[in-house]
Amino acid sequence: MTTSTTTTVHRAPLLCDGRRWLADGWVRVGGDGRVTDWGAGTDPPGGDAEPVRRHGALLPGLVDGLAHVTGYFNRAVEGDALAPHRAGLALCAEAGVTVVLSAAGHTEPPLALAADPAPGDPALLWTGPVLDGPPATTTATRLVRDAVSARRAVGAVAADGARVVCTGPSLEPGALGEVVAAAREYGLPVLHQPGRTDARSAAKGGAALVQDLPRCLLPPAASPRSAAATVRAFADPGVRAAADEPLRVLAGQGTALVPLLHSWRRAALLEEAVSEPRLERTLPMAPFHRYLLDMRGPGLVFGRKYAREHFGYEHLKGVARREFDDGWAFLLDALARARELGVALVAGSDALGLSLVPGYGLYDELSWWERAGLSRRTVLAAATGGTPAVLLGAAATPWVSGVLALSGAPDELPGLGALPAAARTLVPAVPLTSVPAHAVGPQERRP
């Protein structure tokens, strides 16, 4: 972050404005540490009187468009009850993530964290509880059955400062329509998790975002219970043949997609969950990860039964593993197809989920987008300008999520996992109380 009392111009041979990558870009940062102007292809107005700092690339701060800023204790709470939540946000900041949307949880923790932020932490947004029908799928649920309960529930999360309304898999299409109508009165987008109301119906009903690519492509009646079985379902040619139509509906309705592919893989493959290189760092937030740590090496053989009973893991081998690999390859193809059709992609990590490290889990997700064939510049733009446009109402400037500086061009990195070491946060996210709740127009256009 800029600490000088004078204006500084940051220059780079490559700049992302959240939509495009431009040559010879610059960002002017005022003495208060906020962006005052920016451009590309021409020199900044005002001459050479200002200090200039040069970087390899400039881009808006990364946004985790779906995370869970929370903590799980299997011991007595001592000291700060929000310590695990703060540890998660600190990991996000370390990874260069400047904005986090905390989805589908109780409102009180993000309210308290936003009221007492730690220096350098990412800006925190939240959805508050899930608005869902019975049976509730999470304890943080407000039940919706009709227009009256929908208006009451939406009004409550809006009053608590929610930036997005989150709806759950038990919600019927009619009730979802009532939630969308109520949310529009508050200028809030709706993020839906497909279930009884599938992705197509949610898009046609006005949901701004849908999450979980596998759930979006399967009809509710065909959705298996486990993550591995869900992925394996896409080895079936009949299931594959039907998957294109939901993507076409999302594209036609302008509904954004939060794929969360990496979270599905981590919930399906025990070996990869146990091998997460930063697994120890999840312990302050979710101590149960010590059971996964105990499974490293020979412990994996003895821990499979525990993992199956308590975490839902299958033992994939032989035909089952081949079906999983075939299904996974199809999901990567489907993500590329979504991009080809024009579906807006929103980057989210689903951390802190099982073996999903806050902040760093976002890079794991984006790495799968690259493997699906999306270019690195496309991937990074979707995690910067694309995400705020949907979640933050970033109509006026691409820098609402802050400014990151890279030591070199992003294409030169050996992989997206190397980006945190090459990135530095120059400017934090704009105070979100000063940002409209939802987009009201196109982004600012620059030559």
Side-chain angles (χ1 to χ4, degrees), residues 260-277:
L260 301 180
L261 281 178
H262 183 64
S263 69
W264 282 83
R265 189 173 179 93
R266 278 292 162 88
L269 299 181
L270 179 61
E271 294 87 347
E272 292 187 8
V274 168
S275 300
E276 162 58 49

Side-chain angles (χ1 to χ4, degrees), residues 199-201 203-204 244-255 341:
R200 292 170 294 183
S201 299
K204 292 177 181 178
D244 200 58
E245 200 253 333
L247 296 177
R248 290 184 178 275
V249 172
L250 296 183
Q253 297 293 326
T255 304
L341 290 171

Side-chain angles (χ1 to χ4, degrees), residues 138-196:
T138 172
T139 56
T141 295
R142 289 179 178 153
L143 292 179
V144 172
R145 292 184 173 88
D146 51 27
V148 173
S149 56
R151 289 177 62 85
R152 184 184 303 118
V154 171
V157 296
D160 283 339
R163 191 63 124 195
V164 179
V165 176
C166 185
T167 52
S170 296
L171 202 62
E172 300 285 356
L176 176 62
E178 298 294 351
V179 170
V180 169
R184 282 175 176 159
E185 297 182 17
Y186 291 92
L188 297 175
V190 172
L191 164 67
H192 180 65
Q193 180 181 338
R196 290 180 179 171

Side-chain angles (χ1 to χ4, degrees), residues 199-398:
R200 292 170 294 183
S201 299
K204 292 177 181 178
L209 308 99
V210 291
Q211 68 175 77
D212 298 303
L213 178 61
R215 283 199 179 103
C216 289
L217 301 184
L218 284 176
S223 296
R225 298 190 58 163
S226 75
T230 298
V231 175
R232 287 168 55 199
F234 291 99
D236 183 337
V239 173
R240 296 185 182 206
D244 200 58
E245 200 253 333
L247 296 177
R248 290 184 178 275
V249 172
L250 296 183
Q253 297 293 326
T255 304
L257 169 65
V258 193
L260 301 180
L261 281 178
H262 183 64
S263 69
W264 282 83
R265 189 173 179 93
R266 278 292 162 88
L269 299 181
L270 179 61
E271 294 87 347
E272 292 187 8
V274 168
S275 300
E276 162 58 49
R278 294 182 176 87
L279 191 60
E280 293 91 343
R281 304 195 69 185
T282 64
L283 295 180
M285 297 150 281
F288 66 78
H289 281 104
R290 72 175 185 269
Y291 298 113
L292 294 182
L293 286 169
D294 291 342
M295 293 180 198
R296 288 182 171 173
L300 184 60
V301 175
F302 301 101
R304 284 193 181 280
K305 182 178 179 181
Y306 179 92
R308 181 174 63 252
E309 292 177 353
H310 296 276
F311 296 143
Y313 282 105
E314 299 178 37
H315 189 187
L316 296 175
K317 59 181 180 179
V319 173
R321 181 54 196 250
R322 288 194 295 273
E323 288 179 347
F324 179 90
D325 291 339
D326 287 347
W328 185 255
F330 176 78
L331 287 172
L332 295 183
D333 289 343
L335 181 66
R337 177 62 172 160
R339 168 70 182 176
E340 176 188 334
L341 290 171
V343 178
L345 300 178
V346 171
S349 69
D350 210 26
L352 174 74
L354 192 59
S355 193
L356 300 173
V357 182
Y360 293 96
L362 184 64
Y363 296 98
D364 293 325
E365 170 73 5
L366 296 177
S367 294
W368 285 114
W369 294 21
E370 268 202 311
R371 295 187 207 184
L374 279 66
S375 73
R376 183 166 298 172
R377 295 188 187 188
T378 296
V379 168
L380 288 175
T384 55
T387 302
V390 179
L391 298 178
L392 308 186
T397 173

